[in-house]
Every structure is written in C-alpha cells, then in structure tokens.
Amino acid sequence: MTLDGERRFGRVLSCIKGDFIADMTPCAPKGGYGLSYPTGSASLAQVVDRWQDYADHLGGIVGYAADASSLQFDGGFYSPNHKKRGAWGDHWTFKVDRLTGKAMLTQEGKPDIGYVCAKAKPRF
C-alpha cells in the first residue's frame, strides 16, 4: 500500500498492489473511486467521489476508505449482468486494522488470507 503517495487528476491517491489485482490500476482518493480503462494497460481513466458516478463505467473500479482505526481497498468490475448488489461486483477487499496491523484479504470464491502489516521505513 502507498497511502497518499500519488497525484493524478488534481487529486491525492492511495494505491495497493498484489497478485490478486488484475486488469486495473488500483488507486483511489480517500472516500472515492479510481476507474480504470477496460482494455489495454488498464491505466487509470478518472477518479470520482460517488458510486453513482461509476454506475455506467465499463472497467476496473477501486474504492478506498480510511479512518482513525482502519484502511480498506475494494476492487471489482461493473457488469450490467452481475447477480450480486446490482451492477457492481467486488472481487476483492483488503482491510487493515490500523491499531494492530492485522489485515485480511477477501476474494470472491477463495479463502480469506490474513496479513500482518507494518509501516515501511524510508530508505532515503
């Protein structure tokens, strides 16, 4: 995770990476969503603040939320035919407890995976 480490579209974004992410750029503003292009490199197309603003987006969608005790990234795709929660299908969620450092990766159709996170020390 890189918190508040990127700036695009005039916004500060937080990002996450891992082998569970495919076909999207997993970055979003706090409380908002990053929308990736549906084809090609799946780079970030735009960022929005409300779920209503991605309701017709065809491509990867990443949400990011943070408060004093937790961080959470949710990633998935919009599909008009998705059977869960209307058109949005979240394929993975990564949630971190900021107080303990414990994190959980939940993926659609797979067992949950636990992690222990620690703040990285700057190298420079």
Side-chain angles (χ1 to χ4, degrees):
M1 289 183 295
T2 304
L3 305 179
D4 300 331
E6 292 204 26
R7 189 168 188 78
R8 294 191 202 169
F9 307 106
R11 306 283 299 273
V12 174
L13 306 179
S14 293
C15 303
I16 187 168
K17 60 181 167 180
D19 60 3
F20 57 93
I21 300 166
D23 300 328
M24 68 176 68
T25 298
C27 299
K30 183 177 176 183
Y33 305 91
L35 310 180
S36 295
Y37 287 106
T39 60
S41 65
S43 60
L44 207 57
Q46 72 181 98
V47 295
V48 297
D49 293 310
R50 306 172 321 137
W51 67 265
Q52 294 93 334
D53 296 329
Y54 70 68
D56 61 352
H57 174 73
L58 296 176
I61 302 168
V62 172
Y64 170 64
D67 60 32
S69 62
S70 66
L71 305 168
Q72 182 167 321
F73 287 90
D74 298 293
F77 296 88
Y78 172 87
S79 171
N81 300 321
H82 197 278
K83 59 187 172 211
K84 273 181 21 183
R85 293 198 277 154
W88 163 255
D90 63 351
H91 294 214
W92 54 264
T93 297
F94 191 83
K95 186 170 184 174
V96 181
D97 183 316
R98 294 178 95 159
L99 305 175
T100 65
K102 292 182 180 179
M104 186 65 64
L105 171 63
T106 304
Q107 299 177 80
E108 185 176 54
K110 295 184 178 181
D112 293 351
I113 301 171
Y115 293 86
V116 177
C117 299
K119 185 176 180 180
K121 295 188 187 321
R123 294 184 181 191
F124 299 97

